[in-house]
Amino acid sequence: MTTESRRRITVAQGDGIGPEIMEATLRILAEAGADLEIERIKVGAQVFDQGITSGIEPKAWDSLRRTKVLLKAPITTPQGGGFKSVNVTIRKTFGLYANIRPCISYSPFIPTQHPGMDLVIVRENEEDLYGGIEHRQTQDVFQTLKLITRPGSERIIRYAFEYARRYHRHKVTSFTKDNIMKLSDGTFHKIFDEVAAEYPEIEAEHWIIDIGTAKLATAPEQFDVLVLPNLYGDILSDVAAEITGSVGLAGSANIGDEIAMFEAIHGSAPPLAGHNIANPSGLLMGAVLMLVHLGLGSVATRVHNAWLCTIEDGIHTPDIYTDGVSTKKVGTDAFADAVIERLGRTPERLLAAHYPASEEPIIVKLKERPIEIKTLEGIDIFLEYRGDVNQLGQQIEAHLNPNLTLVMISNRGQKVYPNGAAETFCVDHWRCRFQARVPGATITTADLIDQLNRLDAAGLPFIKTEGLYAFDGVPGYSLSQGQ
Ligand code: NAD
């Protein structure tokens, strides 16, 4: 998009504080001269209450496909039960794989211990634990599936490096827990190293997530662009936004190849709803990212600079109000009025924004990868069982397929048979690993099915199985602790 003419967008006002901060934001955009044709849709709790389980009214999909841009206020998602997250549904349905979350300090106007902080979190937005694939398997055990894919990881990591290149950022950092999750997080790390090598002008570093988080919380100035798997990115962007002064300050862009969604990073803050005290800045910053995406760079610059002037003048909502620093405590509407009054001004001490009139979207291309030779090496059969593991082991050994052997039994990942430690605490969920009786011999799916039938006949029905495969000879499964 190259000219500043009328743009069509879809708007969802969300739940909780959503309607208040959305109206404040739209008022600022209109006064700034953003020529927007707005289609309003309903998503969230109100739609769910009508019996629509996705939480998205059917005509909303058409609007999104038409405008390809959604400005969305936060939505309430029930905790521990109830309907699925509407945010996750929208992100996944439209392949909004990149979640861009800039977190910047506005010192000395918003007190923070980290005045030099200016980082961008690039969060993978579609996979990891957010598939919501969950099962209760036994009396004791509940499972959520964590899926990390090669294309998903490569896409977000390439996006982060392209983003760094475009915006002249000098470093990209990744955090994972690949000392424990060697296959899933290990793949993310491996692809990070692979892609980083293609951008020699950009510094690349990787930290284990625990120490990385500690560093982010205590020395965020050290970071520039952070690329993270979904869950880590979700958590750390709240941490990063909060240490700039308030979680209410950061906006975010959810980018796909076709469609994009812009929002605040915070939630619907139900206790603040209806009190006209919520900070609309996060959604406004999301809207600024939207204006840039729409090719309305000069309006984005006007809005952003007016907002910076408001912050500089000490006109603050309660979440960022500090005695001696702020000059006036205002509510949502008055904050929006203050931004509108300052349209056309540029900040004196904070770094002024300057967006290009238009810019091309970042499009990433994935590397072609050869198909590796996949060979079947065995099966992990999960059983529900209450009793002594040595008796379980002996019972299984008495019902083995002739081509298979029982390599081990583990409980919550710890090997407990053969030769387990008497001290290991066990629940009712046992992973029994079967591999070829003669090492290297071929085994077939028929052998595995026969093994399942034998266990079933012995009163040990399976609750789940996982195939053990090697790819080009490299095992695609972890060993057990103690194996
Ligand atoms: P929250 O972000 O709504 O609130 C966390 C804290 O930050 C609260 O103290 C709140 O008062 C404060 N806060 C948040 N936004 C603020 C603002 N604009 N101005 C001033 N203070 C602000 O997080 P939560 O309480 O954990 O979640 C509430 C609901 O929001 C949940 O249902 C959650 O699932 C949902 N949520 C939605 C989104 C989204 O729509 N993208 C994101 C996160 C959480």
Side-chain angles (χ1 to χ4, degrees):
M1 296 192 189
T2 49
T3 57
E4 301 210 347
S5 59
R6 178 151 259 225
R7 303 284 193 271
R8 257 203 311 211
I9 64 166
T10 302
V11 164
Q13 64 173 16
D15 302 317
I17 58 172
E20 299 156 59
I21 59 173
M22 181 59 84
E23 289 325 306
T25 298
L26 291 178
R27 213 151 54 78
I28 296 168
L29 298 193
E31 293 291 336
D35 191 8
L36 301 172
E37 185 182 326
I38 292 171
E39 297 186 9
R40 292 200 180 244
I41 59 165
K42 290 199 181 110
V43 297
Q46 45 180 328
V47 180
F48 188 77
D49 289 345
Q50 291 166 17
I52 300 170
T53 52
S54 65
I56 304 171
E57 61 174 353
K59 70 172 194 198
W61 298 110
D62 300 334
S63 174
L64 288 171
R65 291 196 172 95
R66 202 165 35 240
T67 67
K68 303 197 184 315
V69 173
L70 172 63
L71 180 63
K72 186 190 72 60
I75 296 170
T76 301
T77 308
Q79 289 165 259
F83 57 92
K84 275 197 158 192
S85 163
V86 170
N87 299 309
V88 175
T89 303
I90 294 175
R91 289 172 188 155
K92 294 189 71 152
T93 304
F94 292 120
L96 310 183
Y97 68 94
N99 191 336
I100 317 303
R101 300 181 156 196
C103 297
I104 302 157
S105 293
Y106 304 98
S107 177
F109 305 102
I110 300 177
T112 167
Q113 291 177 351
H114 306 290
M117 178 174 172
D118 175 2
L119 62 86
V120 179
I121 293 186
V122 177
R123 165 188 169 194
E124 196 290 316
N125 221 9
E126 294 183 284
E127 35 192 66
D128 195 351
L129 288 157
Y130 287 68
I133 305 172
E134 298 196 289
H135 298 96
R136 180 174 182 178
Q137 298 177 325
T138 68
Q139 296 296 315
D140 291 339
V141 173
F142 303 76
Q143 174 188 272
T144 306
L145 210 56
K146 168 164 167 143
L147 293 172
I148 297 284
T149 73
R150 277 198 319 199
S153 303
E154 186 182 339
R155 206 143 76 125
I156 195 67
I157 292 164
R158 284 193 184 280
Y159 190 98
F161 277 94
E162 283 297 318
Y163 182 97
R165 185 175 267 174
R166 171 168 299 179
Y167 296 106
H168 310 293
R169 298 264 177 180
H170 70 280
K171 181 161 82 171
V172 180
T173 305
S174 176
F175 297 164
T176 70
K177 189 75 183 170
D178 66 338
N179 52 335
I180 301 296
M181 287 166 277
K182 296 172 196 285
L183 284 178
S184 55
D185 281 25
T187 295
F188 197 90
H189 185 177
K190 201 167 139 218
I191 294 176
F192 177 80
D193 289 346
E194 217 177 270
V195 173
E198 297 174 33
Y199 296 81
E201 79 281 16
I202 298 169
E203 193 187 336
E205 64 177 14
H206 173 272
W207 295 80
I208 299 288
I209 179 86
D210 26 7
I211 185 62
T213 304
K215 291 274 179 209
L216 179 71
T218 52
E221 311 79 13
Q222 287 184 8
F223 299 101
D224 196 359
V225 174
L226 268 162
V227 62
L228 301 167
N230 204 344
L231 180 66
Y232 308 148
D234 192 2
I235 297 169
L236 291 195
S237 49
D238 268 32
V239 173
E242 188 69 17
I243 59 182
T244 67
S246 168
V247 73
L249 291 172
S252 108
N254 299 265
I255 305 289
D257 286 340
E258 290 277 321
I259 291 175
M261 171 170 84
F262 300 87
E263 58 184 346
I265 73 155
H266 60 76
S268 57
L272 305 187
H275 297 295
N276 187 32
I277 52 171
N279 189 344
S281 300
L283 187 59
L284 188 65
M285 290 301 103
V288 165
L289 296 171
M290 176 189 77
L291 293 171
V292 176
H293 175 84
L294 287 168
L296 300 174
S298 67
V299 190
T301 303
R302 247 166 96 70
V303 171
H304 199 156
N305 285 335
W307 179 79
L308 289 167
C309 290
T310 311
I311 297 297
E312 260 189 8
D313 288 348
I315 319 273
H316 294 167
T317 44
D319 58 313
I320 53 171
Y321 183 89
T322 313
D323 283 331
V325 178
S326 310
T327 56
K328 195 172 175 192
K329 191 185 282 184
V330 291
T332 314
D333 290 342
F335 183 85
D337 293 340
V339 176
I340 290 166
E341 277 164 28
R342 287 162 179 76
L343 286 166
R345 277 179 45 188
T346 41
E348 284 168 18
R349 291 177 58 194
L350 292 171
L351 187 64
H354 182 72
Y355 296 102
S358 72
E359 57 182 25
E360 292 301 314
I362 293 175
I363 303 284
V364 298
K365 277 217 166 82
L366 300 187
K367 202 167 100 177
E368 289 240 348
R369 291 174 190 274
I371 299 288
E372 293 163 58
I373 295 169
K374 181 177 172 187
T375 43
L376 181 64
E377 295 199 336
I379 188 170
D380 279 348
I381 301 178
F382 292 75
L383 303 174
E384 179 169 2
Y385 172 82
R386 286 177 178 270
D388 176 66
V389 66
N390 291 315
Q391 279 177 17
L392 174 65
Q394 284 153 19
Q395 202 182 344
I396 294 173
E397 310 250 19
H399 295 87
L400 277 177
N401 169 285
N403 294 329
L404 297 175
T405 186
L406 175 65
V407 178
M408 58 100 186
I409 302 174
S410 73
N411 195 289
R412 297 189 301 169
Q414 176 67 36
K415 191 188 102 175
V416 286
Y417 179 89
N419 309 320
E423 297 83 359
T424 307
F425 177 76
C426 292
V427 295
D428 61 356
H429 183 268
W430 308 84
R431 186 258 307 256
C432 310
R433 174 159 291 179
F434 299 84
Q435 288 186 283
R437 190 173 56 78
V438 179
T442 304
I443 50 172
T444 64
T445 327
D447 292 325
L448 306 184
I449 293 169
D450 176 64
Q451 184 60 61
L452 291 172
N453 283 329
R454 285 169 188 258
L455 291 175
D456 197 43
L460 295 170
F462 70 96
I463 50 172
K464 146 194 164 109
T465 70
E466 288 287 351
L468 305 177
Y469 301 102
F471 292 80
D472 279 354
V474 179
Y477 48 91
S478 59
L479 296 181
S480 197
Q481 278 132 27
Q483 194 182 346

